[in-house]
């Protein structure tokens, strides 16, 4: 799936997008020292331009694909597909964030820089060919995410969310690192290709299998799979909404890339064991996420538990394995990133200073007040619920098909049942918008035009991409051809 190893003189070329992104982040960090709050829009605009430039570099194939630095860094089709979407949703989160954070005086110059470094960490994760780079990318993403979640220091919920995220995230990183050390002890190498080759010949299978168990546990936490999901509701609710949008979209796709690299490229010969573990995590996530989401009245907490269920669907493809399963999971990760951005974007577009619009009741009677916004939110909820012809329907269909092809009939049936259960809480949001009476006075419309336009494009994209989903799926299949 990767091109031959490049010569030493060309080792930096496949790394060019990451080098440009990190170099630009350092330059913006220095530039921000000379800007006051009134001119901080310059940092924001340059950050968006940098993300767009790096995205164009990857889309145009600048730097080329290859395996460099002795196999430590892998740039292939899967990595490029993931990076394009990660850069896109990172830029989208910044577009949503600027007016929201600015009117709450929560937009220091570190915000776009932290987003850039977190994005660089995600890009490293999907290109990791060595466990050292996996951990480097993971911690770069995690440390930046912790700081972003605790951005609102005067808000008790935000501070609490940041502390919980740090403590539980450190525990998960420890589990992952311990698993890596056991795998290294069993195989004698940190290189994923070397681990794959050594796994078939290792004498102490028990040590290797124990390492795999810890790897899967650490990956489950980063994905937000049950029963390692307890950080999700508090972090999603406590973080400023645009930050919740950022950590809910791109990192899930990066975690899929990390899981594929570690499990398939690394301990692939142990696939019979870890496929079973992933199937169990998928079943637990589908049931727990959907059932608990029904009881939520806070929209951000509801979306957090629904994330757990969506991770369950993503794991259906990984548990099935083979090229079709991985392509289905990648397609689901891309679809969920776009849907999650739109879901939290709906909260951002309706919120004002002093009104967060993060409760389901805040959407009561929205159709009577603003039919256009209500229609867009309907598109988002219908896609998340898996209603055809929206993108979410095709995403669920392909992972269920992959599970059936792998012989996981019981898991596919459970997925269908849980999809029906999940439809209830999404349809409840639609019901309160169209059939309930408005409660209280809605704050005046926001002054900026950027967020409503971005949300409109984001929500309608779910319908357009649902109609023209085949090219995206073909792109994902090409990644694992």
């Amino acid at each position: 799936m990767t091109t031959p190893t490049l010569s030493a003189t060309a080792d930096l070329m496949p790394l060019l997008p990451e080098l440009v992104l990190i170099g630009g982040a350092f330059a913006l960090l220095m530039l921000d020292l000379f800007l006051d709050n009134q001119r901080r829009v310059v940092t924001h605009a340059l950050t968006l331009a940098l993300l767009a430039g790096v995205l164009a570099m990857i889309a145009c194939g600048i730097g080329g694909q290859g395996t460099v630095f002795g196999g430590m860094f892998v740039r292939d089709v899967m990595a490029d597909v993931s990076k394009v979407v990660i850069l896109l949703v990172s830029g989208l989160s910044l577009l949503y964030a600027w007016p929201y954070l600015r009117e709450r005086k929560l937009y220091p110059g570190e915000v776009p820089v932290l987003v850039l470094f977190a994005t660089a960490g995600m890009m490293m994760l999907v290109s990791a060919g060595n466990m050292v780079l996996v951990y480097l990318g993971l911690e770069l993403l995690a440390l930046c995410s912790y700081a972003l979640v605790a951005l609102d220091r005067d808000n008790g919920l935000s501070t609490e969310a940041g502390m919980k995220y740090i403590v539980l995230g450190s525990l998960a990183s420890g589990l992952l690192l311990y698993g890596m050390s056991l795998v290294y002890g069993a195989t004698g190498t940190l290189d994923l290709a070397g681990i794959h080759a050594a796994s078939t010949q290792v004498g102490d299978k028990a040590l290797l299998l124990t390492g795999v168990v810890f790897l899967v546990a650490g990956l489950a936490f980063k994905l937000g799979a049950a029963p390692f999901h307890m950080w999700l509701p508090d972090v999603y609710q406590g973080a400023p909404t645009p930050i919740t949008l950022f950590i809910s979209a791109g990192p899930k796709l990066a975690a899929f890339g990390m899981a594929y690299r570690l499990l398939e490229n690394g301990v692939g010969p142990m696939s019979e064991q870890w496929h079973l573990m992933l199937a169990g995590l998928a079943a637990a996530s589908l049931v727990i996420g959907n059932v608990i989401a029904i009881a939520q009245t806070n929209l951000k907490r509801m979306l957090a538990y629904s994330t757990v269920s969506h991770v369950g669907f993503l794991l259906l493809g990984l548990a099935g394995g083979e090229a079709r399963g991985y392509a289905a999971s990648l397609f689901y990760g891309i679809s969920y990133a776009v849907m999650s951005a739109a879901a939290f974007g709906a909260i951002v577009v309706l919120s004002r200073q002093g009104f967060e619009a993060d409760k389901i009741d805040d959407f009561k009677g929205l159709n009577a007040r603003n039919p256009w916004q209500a229609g867009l939110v309907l598109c988002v909820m219908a896609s998340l619920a898996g209603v055809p012809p929206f993108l979410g329907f095709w995403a669920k269909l392909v992972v269920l098909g992959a599970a059936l092809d792998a012989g996981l009939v019981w898991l596919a049936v459970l997925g269908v049942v849980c999809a029906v259960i999940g439809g209830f809480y999404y349809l409840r949001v639609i019901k309160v918008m169209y059939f309930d009476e408005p409660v209280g006075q809605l704050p005046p419309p926001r002054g900026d035009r950027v967020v409503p336009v971005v949300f409109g494009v984001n929500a309608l994209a779910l319908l357009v991409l649902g109609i023209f989903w085949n090219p995206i799926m073909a792109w994902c299949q090409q990644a694992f051809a």
Side-chain angles (χ1 to χ4, degrees), residues 118-143:
T119 304
M122 289 187 268
M123 292 171 69
M124 289 180 193
L125 280 177
V126 298
S127 282
N130 188 290
M131 289 198 290
V132 172
L133 191 60
V134 170
Y135 199 70
L136 178 63
L138 181 63
E139 289 307 296
L140 184 57
L141 168 62
L143 293 173

Side-chain angles (χ1 to χ4, degrees), residues 36-161:
D36 54 25
N37 287 330
Q38 284 71 34
R39 290 186 290 176
R40 193 138 282 152
V41 67
V42 175
T43 310
H44 184 78
L46 290 175
T47 303
L48 290 171
L50 179 61
L51 288 170
V54 175
L55 190 155
M57 289 175 65
I58 295 173
C60 296
I62 295 175
Q65 296 178 357
T67 304
V68 297
F69 291 112
M72 180 172 281
F73 185 90
V74 180
R75 183 175 172 189
D76 53 16
V77 178
M78 191 279 284
D80 280 358
V81 171
S82 301
K83 288 174 187 178
V84 165
V85 180
I86 286 168
L87 289 162
L88 184 64
V89 295
S90 295
L92 200 58
S93 66
L94 284 173
L95 286 171
Y96 280 119
W98 170 247
Y100 180 98
L101 297 178
R102 183 185 57 185
E103 69 182 14
R104 290 161 178 78
K105 297 180 173 56
L106 291 175
Y107 201 87
E110 301 88 73
V111 170
V113 174
L114 286 170
V115 168
L116 288 176
F117 280 121
T119 304
M122 289 187 268
M123 292 171 69
M124 289 180 193
L125 280 177
V126 298
S127 282
N130 188 290
M131 289 198 290
V132 172
L133 191 60
V134 170
Y135 199 70
L136 178 63
L138 181 63
E139 289 307 296
L140 184 57
L141 168 62
L143 293 173
C144 294
S145 300
Y146 302 154
L148 288 168
V149 167
L151 181 66
D152 190 358
R153 290 174 292 180
D154 296 327
N155 186 322
L157 277 177
S158 181
T159 307
E160 179 188 353

Side-chain angles (χ1 to χ4, degrees), residues 392-424:
F393 170 76
W394 302 108
K396 285 183 170 65
L397 188 66
V398 294
V399 292
L400 289 170
L404 287 172
D405 283 353
L408 297 171
V409 179
W410 66 275
L411 195 54
V413 171
L414 181 64
V416 172
V417 172
C418 290
V420 174
I421 296 172
F424 172 80

Side-chain angles (χ1 to χ4, degrees), residues 1 68 72 131 135 181 197-198 205 211 220 227 339 363 377 391 441 474:
M1 291 201 314
V68 297
M72 180 172 281
M131 289 198 290
Y135 199 70
S181 67
K205 291 287 186 183
M339 291 189 294
F363 285 73
V377 176
L391 182 62
Q441 286 293 322

